[in-house]
Coordinates of all heavy atoms in Angstrom, one line a residue:
Q206 N 103.8 89.0 93.7 CA 105.1 89.5 93.5 C 106.2 89.1 94.5 O 107.4 89.4 94.5 CB 105.3 91.0 93.6 CG 104.4 91.8 92.6 CD 104.2 93.3 93.0 OE1 103.1 93.8 93.0 NE2 105.2 94.1 93.2
F237 N 102.4 96.0 90.4 CA 102.5 97.5 90.8 C 102.4 97.6 92.3 O 102.0 98.8 92.7 CB 101.2 98.2 90.1 CG 101.1 97.9 88.7 CD1 99.9 97.5 88.1 CD2 102.2 97.9 87.8 CE1 99.8 97.3 86.7 CE2 102.0 97.7 86.4 CZ 100.8 97.3 85.8
G238 N 102.8 96.7 93.0 CA 102.7 96.7 94.4 C 101.6 96.1 95.1 O 101.5 95.6 96.3
V345 N 101.5 99.4 99.2 CA 102.3 100.1 98.1 C 101.7 100.0 96.8 O 101.1 99.1 96.5 CB 103.8 99.6 98.1 CG1 104.5 99.8 99.4 CG2 103.8 98.0 97.8
L346 N 101.8 101.2 96.1 CA 101.5 101.3 94.8 C 102.4 102.0 93.9 O 103.0 103.0 94.4 CB 100.1 102.0 94.5 CG 99.4 102.1 93.1 CD1 97.9 102.0 93.2 CD2 99.8 103.4 92.6
R347 N 102.8 101.6 92.8 CA 103.9 101.9 92.0 C 104.6 103.3 92.4 O 103.9 104.3 92.3 CB 103.7 101.8 90.5 CG 104.9 101.8 89.8 CD 104.8 101.1 88.5 NE 106.2 100.7 88.0 CZ 106.6 100.9 86.7 NH1 105.9 101.6 85.9 NH2 107.8 100.6 86.4
A348 N 105.8 103.2 92.8 CA 106.5 104.5 93.4 C 105.8 104.9 94.6 O 105.3 106.2 94.6 CB 106.7 105.5 92.4
P349 N 105.4 104.0 95.6 CA 104.8 104.5 96.8 C 105.6 105.5 97.5 O 106.9 105.6 97.2 CB 104.7 103.2 97.7 CG 105.8 102.4 97.2 CD 105.9 102.7 95.7
A502 N 109.7 91.0 94.2 CA 109.8 92.1 93.1 C 109.1 93.4 93.5 O 108.0 93.6 93.0 CB 109.2 91.5 91.8
I503 N 109.8 94.0 94.3 CA 109.3 95.4 94.8 C 110.5 96.3 94.9 O 111.6 96.0 94.8 CB 108.6 95.3 96.2 CG1 109.6 94.7 97.2 CG2 107.4 94.4 96.2 CD1 109.1 94.8 98.7
G504 N 110.1 97.6 95.0 CA 111.0 98.7 95.2 C 112.1 98.8 94.0 O 113.2 99.4 94.2
E703 N 110.4 102.4 89.1 CA 109.6 103.3 89.8 C 110.0 104.8 89.9 O 109.2 105.8 89.9 CB 109.2 102.8 91.2 CG 108.4 101.6 91.3 CD 108.5 101.0 92.7 OE1 109.5 100.4 93.0 OE2 107.5 101.1 93.4
Ligands
LIG1 MO1 106.4 98.4 94.0 S1 104.9 99.5 94.6 O1 107.5 98.4 95.2 O2 105.7 96.9 93.7

Side-chain angles (χ1 to χ4, degrees):
Q206 293 169 237
F237 314 130
V345 291
L346 178 145
R347 198 155 198 227
I503 58 173
E703 290 165 286

